[in-house]
Amino acid sequence: VTVLPTDYIIQIFYTQCKRPVYKKHQGVYNGECPVCKEGASSGKKRRLFYFPQEHYLYCFNCSRSWSEINWIKEVTNKSFTEILKETTSYSTNSNPSILDILESTEVISTEIKTYDTLPENSIDITDSQQLQYFYSTTNNKSSIDKCIEYCEQRKLLAAINRPKAFYFSSDDRIHKNRLVIPFYSENNTIESYQTRALLPDQYPKYLTKYGEKNLFGENTIDSTIPYIFIFEGPIDAMFVRNGVAMGGTSLTSKQQTFLNKCLGYEIIYVLDNDKNNKETDKIKNRLMKQNKRIFIWPKEFNKYKDINEVCCQLNMTEFPYKYIVNNSFLGIEAIAKGCLHKN
Ligand SMILES: [Zn+2]
């Protein structure tokens, strides 16, 4: 039996399950089951339990049980080897584990904390006064410098569809020392966010706020453009007009509800151009079968892995949306053209 690092499993639990909580007295984790989605009681009950001592998960709704590894395989669609590879980047030294953090604090397990707008003591790095204040009071200059440097390298501050603000927190227990990308709702309020690691030893690369995500970019949809472009991540969506991002590989029901209201727009999916990414292939296959319209990367772009890389290398602040429109196909057309198999 392979024993995976507990804090790795908890991290997956917190990113895959809606409304996760830690029940301190029982020492168990509890959330909505991402496998059965809890049916009619979705949003009301949490019936998936993770028992870390027993290395076992059980859902009282679908009555299924899993070993840790089988559950992670099922909810992430990753292979055993991929999972093991991820856990090796997991620090096992003296850094406090997420488990320790969760145990040492009660706030994290309450829903009030969960629904905070932004990570604790976030500052807007696009606001020079906040930056100045931060610099004059912190002993954590190098982390925020990394954050600003990252934004510059990725050209985020110049991107055509960037959010109004980017944030940084050096205090948040989970999201500290990461770039915070806000997900505004159509009313211009921050409803969710995703944070990105800035150092190679930070795990995971992307981490989303607990609770159900809305789409990144809901507030910047321009009604004169009859398309909405759906990306996996916000950093790519920032470079395309009417780009929105799931912050993951599938739509949450809140995101789907928003799209259902967007009448008169054609939806086009733009996935990464990552040839060696099985995860992307799986999403692409799923979308093709559902006959969704998908951007097919022309072979001139073979050397680029995503829209952000194209824009950084070609020094563009916008990837023209018409180019995406002209190179996108419905699932059946794409299959007929053999686009699916060209890698
Ligand atoms: Zn279930």
Side-chain angles (χ1 to χ4, degrees):
V1 178
T2 314
V3 178
L4 300 169
T6 308
D7 43 2
Y8 172 74
I9 298 153
I10 294 163
Q11 191 71 74
I12 304 276
F13 192 92
Y14 270 71
T15 46
Q16 294 289 333
C17 300
K18 287 185 195 165
R19 301 160 57 239
V21 290
Y22 177 57
K23 297 190 179 261
K24 201 176 172 182
H25 296 294
Q26 298 102 308
V28 299
Y29 295 85
N30 181 210
E32 286 193 38
C33 173
V35 174
C36 67
K37 317 244 190 276
E38 307 241 345
S41 61
S42 165
K44 296 184 202 108
K45 291 185 177 164
R46 301 175 180 87
R47 289 189 285 194
L48 176 69
F49 289 83
Y50 169 44
F51 307 92
Q53 301 294 324
E54 289 78 17
H55 303 289
Y56 163 84
L57 293 104
Y58 183 75
C59 172
F60 286 91
N61 188 52
C62 58
S63 304
R64 288 187 57 190
S65 64
W66 298 265
S67 66
E68 293 162 336
I69 184 76
N70 284 338
W71 185 75
I72 293 175
K73 273 162 72 178
E74 181 155 355
V75 298
T76 63
N77 288 316
K78 286 182 177 137
S79 70
F80 183 60
T81 330
E82 287 170 303
I83 292 166
L84 281 191
K85 218 168 106 191
E86 279 190 351
T87 59
T88 57
S89 67
Y90 225 82
S91 143
T92 47
N93 57 25
S94 59
N95 292 340
S97 72
I98 288 172
L99 183 62
D100 293 335
I101 293 166
L102 290 167
E103 276 172 350
S104 69
T105 171
E106 298 216 342
V107 279
I108 213 85
S109 64
T110 70
E111 286 191 47
I112 302 154
K113 181 65 192 165
T114 301
Y115 288 98
D116 267 359
T117 303
L118 284 166
E120 206 173 329
N121 298 331
S122 289
I123 65 155
D124 175 359
I125 61 164
T126 67
D127 178 332
S128 58
Q129 285 188 337
Q130 289 186 36
L131 267 186
Q132 216 173 10
Y133 179 76
F134 184 86
Y135 276 117
S136 68
T137 55
T138 188
N139 49 15
N140 191 17
K141 288 193 178 71
S142 70
S143 296
I144 198 162
D145 285 344
K146 276 268 173 316
C147 185
I148 292 167
E149 193 185 301
Y150 180 83
C151 292
E152 280 165 4
Q153 279 167 359
R154 298 296 194 101
K155 297 175 72 68
L156 304 188
L157 299 177
I160 182 91
N161 190 37
R162 61 160 261 200
K164 288 184 291 226
F166 290 94
Y167 295 91
F168 175 85
S169 162
S170 57
D171 300 328
D172 194 84
R173 288 180 181 84
I174 303 282
H175 296 276
K176 73 172 184 183
N177 297 339
R178 302 165 69 91
L179 169 66
V180 182
I181 302 168
F183 285 27
Y184 292 92
S185 72
E186 50 187 329
N187 314 316
N188 278 311
T189 57
I190 298 173
E191 212 164 291
S192 187
Y193 55 80
Q194 193 170 52
T195 62
R196 196 203 186 278
L198 299 164
L199 298 168
D201 62 351
Q202 273 178 321
Y203 181 86
K205 206 154 131 187
Y206 291 97
L207 195 50
T208 310
K209 180 192 170 189
Y210 306 148
E212 196 175 356
K213 288 170 285 198
N214 61 322
L215 284 166
F216 168 86
E218 286 181 4
N219 62 327
T220 49
I221 290 174
D222 174 351
S223 60
T224 64
I225 298 172
Y227 303 96
I228 291 175
F229 304 95
I230 301 185
F231 292 82
E232 290 164 69
I235 289 176
D236 296 310
M238 284 177 209
F239 290 83
V240 178
R241 287 177 208 260
N242 282 18
V244 298
M246 304 181 278
T249 54
S250 58
L251 291 165
T252 66
S253 56
K254 195 189 251 182
Q255 293 173 337
Q256 187 62 64
T257 304
F258 174 81
L259 290 171
N260 291 346
K261 289 190 303 181
C262 295
L263 300 173
Y265 294 90
E266 187 169 5
I267 305 289
I268 302 181
Y269 284 82
V270 186
L271 303 174
D272 289 351
N273 191 26
D274 192 347
K275 303 273 181 302
N276 301 314
N277 191 335
K278 286 202 191 94
E279 180 68 10
T280 304
D281 283 349
K282 267 180 206 149
I283 311 164
K284 209 193 273 178
N285 276 305
R286 190 186 73 214
L287 294 171
M288 296 262 185
K289 281 188 198 126
Q290 295 168 350
N291 204 26
K292 304 285 188 198
R293 191 162 168 184
I294 306 168
F295 173 61
I296 303 295
W297 286 84
K299 52 179 183 311
E300 302 88 276
F301 287 95
N302 266 348
K303 63 173 173 170
Y304 303 109
K305 70 175 191 318
D306 54 39
I307 296 284
N308 178 249
E309 198 174 273
V310 175
C311 292
C312 290
Q313 303 227 355
L314 304 181
N315 198 24
M316 309 191 302
T317 57
E318 174 177 13
F319 189 90
Y321 77 86
K322 285 185 179 156
Y323 190 83
I324 295 177
V325 174
N326 293 337
N327 288 284
S328 62
F329 302 91
L330 284 173
I332 37 169
E333 293 168 354
I335 291 166
K337 284 171 64 83
C339 297
L340 228 194
H341 305 292
K342 93 178 166 190
N343 353 331

